[in-house]
Amino acid sequence: SLTAFQREMGSDPLAGYLLVKKALSCLSSATHLGYTANAERKDGEIGDEDHESSAMVQLSEAVSALKGGVPFAVGGRIELCDSDRNTSLVILQSAHEVAGVLEKVDAAALMPHCTKATFGDSRERTNREDPSVRVALELAAGAWELRAPGGGAPRFLEAVRDRVQAALLDSGRVVELVPQKINAYEAGGHFAEHVDTPTDAQHMVGTLLVCLPCSHSGGALVVKHNAEEVRFDFAAESGRGGAIQWAALYSDCLHNVETVTSGKTPKL
């Protein structure tokens, strides 16, 4: 993607252009984001995507040769101020029921409002369920909100935005946080390696996950880019209230959620 190329181009734009141009010349048509990673292949089936996948490998290798020092995934932990500790997680579709406050979210109150999560199959151009790929629950965007005392958004979101902006974006560029689903994993829940389906292909830069404070084990987020891997293990401090953990990654990064072994872990 252009974002990935700009991120990794390094100090020799001409060499970068020539390498990427060579790889792109092999492409007969554009490959949809996630097409290769998220699509399944029937035994013995071949097609034009084989040619495109090979070209995409060449493109990835060309970009890798220009790799710079900018990270592809970042994360951290933020202590909540008093106001944020008392910020409510409100379920809008259920008479504004409150599923706890950020000091300690009540996962048991949240789960009944969720539905089975699907995943985007780019090959079939549809969303579907498959427990071998994903076992999770979700609450749709627009069905929930974080409501700080006195109204408005909690302050920690601004702190997270500033850190993401400083780590992943060029100087002078501004990132906007757009709320999407709540993804919730219970014991046995997981999500196989994939790339995210863009909600706004023209403007989406990446994905931000905010791990709500609910005690659990397992369920680490693993993000990969080329030969590198970053692991976010939220479980160790998941039972500690008064803080949130977060991770942000570029949209074109492969990532997976390992199997949750106990407890519940909802993520914004």
PDB file of all heavy atoms in Angstrom, residues 152-170:
ATOM      1  N   GLY A 152     -19.238  14.117  27.356  1.00  0.00           N
ATOM      2  CA  GLY A 152     -17.980  14.168  26.623  1.00  0.00           C
ATOM      3  C   GLY A 152     -17.241  12.849  26.634  1.00  0.00           C
ATOM      4  O   GLY A 152     -17.657  11.874  27.267  1.00  0.00           O
ATOM      5  N   ALA A 153     -16.120  12.836  25.917  1.00  0.00           N
ATOM      6  CA  ALA A 153     -15.312  11.622  25.805  1.00  0.00           C
ATOM      7  C   ALA A 153     -14.299  11.555  26.940  1.00  0.00           C
ATOM      8  O   ALA A 153     -13.886  12.576  27.478  1.00  0.00           O
ATOM      9  CB  ALA A 153     -14.590  11.616  24.463  1.00  0.00           C
ATOM     10  N   PRO A 154     -13.895  10.363  27.328  1.00  0.00           N
ATOM     11  CA  PRO A 154     -12.879  10.227  28.375  1.00  0.00           C
ATOM     12  C   PRO A 154     -11.531  10.780  27.911  1.00  0.00           C
ATOM     13  O   PRO A 154     -11.200  10.729  26.728  1.00  0.00           O
ATOM     14  CB  PRO A 154     -12.814   8.714  28.611  1.00  0.00           C
ATOM     15  CG  PRO A 154     -13.357   8.101  27.368  1.00  0.00           C
ATOM     16  CD  PRO A 154     -14.369   9.050  26.838  1.00  0.00           C
ATOM     17  N   ARG A 155     -10.753  11.264  28.855  1.00  0.00           N
ATOM     18  CA  ARG A 155      -9.491  11.923  28.521  1.00  0.00           C
ATOM     19  C   ARG A 155      -8.430  10.970  28.002  1.00  0.00           C
ATOM     20  O   ARG A 155      -7.539  11.371  27.246  1.00  0.00           O
ATOM     21  CB  ARG A 155      -8.969  12.653  29.760  1.00  0.00           C
ATOM     22  CG  ARG A 155      -9.860  13.790  30.239  1.00  0.00           C
ATOM     23  CD  ARG A 155      -9.273  14.449  31.475  1.00  0.00           C
ATOM     24  NE  ARG A 155     -10.149  15.494  32.004  1.00  0.00           N
ATOM     25  CZ  ARG A 155      -9.888  16.187  33.109  1.00  0.00           C
ATOM     26  NH1 ARG A 155      -8.778  15.926  33.789  1.00  0.00           N
ATOM     27  NH2 ARG A 155     -10.733  17.100  33.525  1.00  0.00           N
ATOM     28  N   PHE A 156      -8.486   9.708  28.405  1.00  0.00           N
ATOM     29  CA  PHE A 156      -7.421   8.790  28.001  1.00  0.00           C
ATOM     30  C   PHE A 156      -7.357   8.618  26.486  1.00  0.00           C
ATOM     31  O   PHE A 156      -6.289   8.320  25.934  1.00  0.00           O
ATOM     32  CB  PHE A 156      -7.584   7.428  28.691  1.00  0.00           C
ATOM     33  CG  PHE A 156      -8.552   6.497  28.025  1.00  0.00           C
ATOM     34  CD1 PHE A 156      -8.169   5.677  26.975  1.00  0.00           C
ATOM     35  CD2 PHE A 156      -9.874   6.427  28.468  1.00  0.00           C
ATOM     36  CE1 PHE A 156      -9.059   4.818  26.377  1.00  0.00           C
ATOM     37  CE2 PHE A 156     -10.776   5.560  27.876  1.00  0.00           C
ATOM     38  CZ  PHE A 156     -10.383   4.749  26.823  1.00  0.00           C
ATOM     39  N   LEU A 157      -8.489   8.804  25.793  1.00  0.00           N
ATOM     40  CA  LEU A 157      -8.492   8.658  24.341  1.00  0.00           C
ATOM     41  C   LEU A 157      -7.586   9.685  23.673  1.00  0.00           C
ATOM     42  O   LEU A 157      -6.907   9.387  22.691  1.00  0.00           O
ATOM     43  CB  LEU A 157      -9.925   8.781  23.806  1.00  0.00           C
ATOM     44  CG  LEU A 157     -10.857   7.606  24.101  1.00  0.00           C
ATOM     45  CD1 LEU A 157     -12.262   7.911  23.626  1.00  0.00           C
ATOM     46  CD2 LEU A 157     -10.334   6.325  23.463  1.00  0.00           C
ATOM     47  N   GLU A 158      -7.568  10.893  24.219  1.00  0.00           N
ATOM     48  CA  GLU A 158      -6.682  11.918  23.679  1.00  0.00           C
ATOM     49  C   GLU A 158      -5.222  11.540  23.887  1.00  0.00           C
ATOM     50  O   GLU A 158      -4.379  11.729  22.999  1.00  0.00           O
ATOM     51  CB  GLU A 158      -6.981  13.266  24.332  1.00  0.00           C
ATOM     52  CG  GLU A 158      -6.153  14.412  23.765  1.00  0.00           C
ATOM     53  CD  GLU A 158      -6.522  15.754  24.375  1.00  0.00           C
ATOM     54  OE1 GLU A 158      -7.552  15.833  25.076  1.00  0.00           O
ATOM     55  OE2 GLU A 158      -5.776  16.730  24.147  1.00  0.00           O
ATOM     56  N   ALA A 159      -4.922  10.974  25.049  1.00  0.00           N
ATOM     57  CA  ALA A 159      -3.550  10.547  25.335  1.00  0.00           C
ATOM     58  C   ALA A 159      -3.121   9.420  24.399  1.00  0.00           C
ATOM     59  O   ALA A 159      -1.991   9.418  23.886  1.00  0.00           O
ATOM     60  CB  ALA A 159      -3.437  10.113  26.787  1.00  0.00           C
ATOM     61  N   VAL A 160      -4.015   8.472  24.160  1.00  0.00           N
ATOM     62  CA  VAL A 160      -3.706   7.374  23.243  1.00  0.00           C
ATOM     63  C   VAL A 160      -3.508   7.912  21.833  1.00  0.00           C
ATOM     64  O   VAL A 160      -2.556   7.534  21.135  1.00  0.00           O
ATOM     65  CB  VAL A 160      -4.825   6.310  23.263  1.00  0.00           C
ATOM     66  CG1 VAL A 160      -4.616   5.293  22.143  1.00  0.00           C
ATOM     67  CG2 VAL A 160      -4.866   5.598  24.603  1.00  0.00           C
ATOM     68  N   ARG A 161      -4.397   8.795  21.407  1.00  0.00           N
ATOM     69  CA  ARG A 161      -4.289   9.370  20.061  1.00  0.00           C
ATOM     70  C   ARG A 161      -2.935  10.054  19.871  1.00  0.00           C
ATOM     71  O   ARG A 161      -2.273   9.897  18.844  1.00  0.00           O
ATOM     72  CB  ARG A 161      -5.412  10.368  19.820  1.00  0.00           C
ATOM     73  CG  ARG A 161      -5.431  10.950  18.399  1.00  0.00           C
ATOM     74  CD  ARG A 161      -6.178  12.254  18.354  1.00  0.00           C
ATOM     75  NE  ARG A 161      -5.532  13.259  19.185  1.00  0.00           N
ATOM     76  CZ  ARG A 161      -6.130  14.391  19.575  1.00  0.00           C
ATOM     77  NH1 ARG A 161      -7.380  14.619  19.249  1.00  0.00           N
ATOM     78  NH2 ARG A 161      -5.464  15.253  20.315  1.00  0.00           N
ATOM     79  N   ASP A 162      -2.519  10.822  20.855  1.00  0.00           N
ATOM     80  CA  ASP A 162      -1.244  11.546  20.745  1.00  0.00           C
ATOM     81  C   ASP A 162      -0.076  10.577  20.623  1.00  0.00           C
ATOM     82  O   ASP A 162       0.871  10.818  19.867  1.00  0.00           O
ATOM     83  CB  ASP A 162      -1.051  12.460  21.956  1.00  0.00           C
ATOM     84  CG  ASP A 162      -2.006  13.640  21.961  1.00  0.00           C
ATOM     85  OD1 ASP A 162      -2.632  13.904  20.920  1.00  0.00           O
ATOM     86  OD2 ASP A 162      -2.137  14.293  23.015  1.00  0.00           O
ATOM     87  N   ARG A 163      -0.129   9.482  21.354  1.00  0.00           N
ATOM     88  CA  ARG A 163       0.969   8.506  21.303  1.00  0.00           C
ATOM     89  C   ARG A 163       0.991   7.778  19.970  1.00  0.00           C
ATOM     90  O   ARG A 163       2.056   7.530  19.406  1.00  0.00           O
ATOM     91  CB  ARG A 163       0.840   7.520  22.462  1.00  0.00           C
ATOM     92  CG  ARG A 163       1.007   8.177  23.821  1.00  0.00           C
ATOM     93  CD  ARG A 163       1.014   7.171  24.958  1.00  0.00           C
ATOM     94  NE  ARG A 163       0.968   7.839  26.250  1.00  0.00           N
ATOM     95  CZ  ARG A 163       1.064   7.232  27.418  1.00  0.00           C
ATOM     96  NH1 ARG A 163       1.199   5.909  27.453  1.00  0.00           N
ATOM     97  NH2 ARG A 163       1.003   7.897  28.546  1.00  0.00           N
ATOM     98  N   VAL A 164      -0.188   7.418  19.464  1.00  0.00           N
ATOM     99  CA  VAL A 164      -0.261   6.763  18.159  1.00  0.00           C
ATOM    100  C   VAL A 164       0.240   7.705  17.071  1.00  0.00           C
ATOM    101  O   VAL A 164       1.005   7.324  16.177  1.00  0.00           O
ATOM    102  CB  VAL A 164      -1.700   6.309  17.861  1.00  0.00           C
ATOM    103  CG1 VAL A 164      -1.834   5.821  16.419  1.00  0.00           C
ATOM    104  CG2 VAL A 164      -2.129   5.213  18.826  1.00  0.00           C
ATOM    105  N   GLN A 165      -0.201   8.927  17.145  1.00  0.00           N
ATOM    106  CA  GLN A 165       0.176   9.930  16.157  1.00  0.00           C
ATOM    107  C   GLN A 165       1.686  10.145  16.138  1.00  0.00           C
ATOM    108  O   GLN A 165       2.307  10.208  15.069  1.00  0.00           O
ATOM    109  CB  GLN A 165      -0.536  11.245  16.492  1.00  0.00           C
ATOM    110  CG  GLN A 165      -0.494  12.301  15.404  1.00  0.00           C
ATOM    111  CD  GLN A 165      -1.515  13.384  15.692  1.00  0.00           C
ATOM    112  OE1 GLN A 165      -2.717  13.151  15.555  1.00  0.00           O
ATOM    113  NE2 GLN A 165      -1.044  14.540  16.090  1.00  0.00           N
ATOM    114  N   ALA A 166       2.290  10.221  17.301  1.00  0.00           N
ATOM    115  CA  ALA A 166       3.731  10.452  17.392  1.00  0.00           C
ATOM    116  C   ALA A 166       4.530   9.252  16.896  1.00  0.00           C
ATOM    117  O   ALA A 166       5.596   9.408  16.281  1.00  0.00           O
ATOM    118  CB  ALA A 166       4.113  10.776  18.834  1.00  0.00           C
ATOM    119  N   ALA A 167       4.008   8.040  17.129  1.00  0.00           N
ATOM    120  CA  ALA A 167       4.766   6.831  16.804  1.00  0.00           C
ATOM    121  C   ALA A 167       4.590   6.370  15.366  1.00  0.00           C
ATOM    122  O   ALA A 167       5.542   5.875  14.746  1.00  0.00           O
ATOM    123  CB  ALA A 167       4.374   5.702  17.748  1.00  0.00           C
ATOM    124  N   LEU A 168       3.387   6.515  14.807  1.00  0.00           N
ATOM    125  CA  LEU A 168       3.081   5.891  13.523  1.00  0.00           C
ATOM    126  C   LEU A 168       2.893   6.857  12.358  1.00  0.00           C
ATOM    127  O   LEU A 168       2.878   6.408  11.209  1.00  0.00           O
ATOM    128  CB  LEU A 168       1.819   5.025  13.649  1.00  0.00           C
ATOM    129  CG  LEU A 168       1.881   3.853  14.631  1.00  0.00           C
ATOM    130  CD1 LEU A 168       0.580   3.061  14.581  1.00  0.00           C
ATOM    131  CD2 LEU A 168       3.064   2.940  14.337  1.00  0.00           C
ATOM    132  N   LEU A 169       2.734   8.141  12.632  1.00  0.00           N
ATOM    133  CA  LEU A 169       2.462   9.071  11.546  1.00  0.00           C
ATOM    134  C   LEU A 169       3.593  10.071  11.370  1.00  0.00           C
ATOM    135  O   LEU A 169       4.323  10.379  12.310  1.00  0.00           O
ATOM    136  CB  LEU A 169       1.156   9.830  11.799  1.00  0.00           C
ATOM    137  CG  LEU A 169      -0.124   9.001  11.781  1.00  0.00           C
ATOM    138  CD1 LEU A 169      -1.321   9.888  12.002  1.00  0.00           C
ATOM    139  CD2 LEU A 169      -0.274   8.254  10.470  1.00  0.00           C
ATOM    140  N   ASP A 170       3.707  10.578  10.142  1.00  0.00           N
ATOM    141  CA  ASP A 170       4.684  11.614   9.866  1.00  0.00           C
ATOM    142  C   ASP A 170       4.341  12.877  10.633  1.00  0.00           C
ATOM    143  O   ASP A 170       3.179  13.147  10.942  1.00  0.00           O
ATOM    144  CB  ASP A 170       4.711  11.936   8.364  1.00  0.00           C
ATOM    145  CG  ASP A 170       5.131  10.738   7.524  1.00  0.00           C
ATOM    146  OD1 ASP A 170       5.888   9.905   8.048  1.00  0.00           O
ATOM    147  OD2 ASP A 170       4.699  10.652   6.367  1.00  0.00           O
TER     148      ASP A 170
END
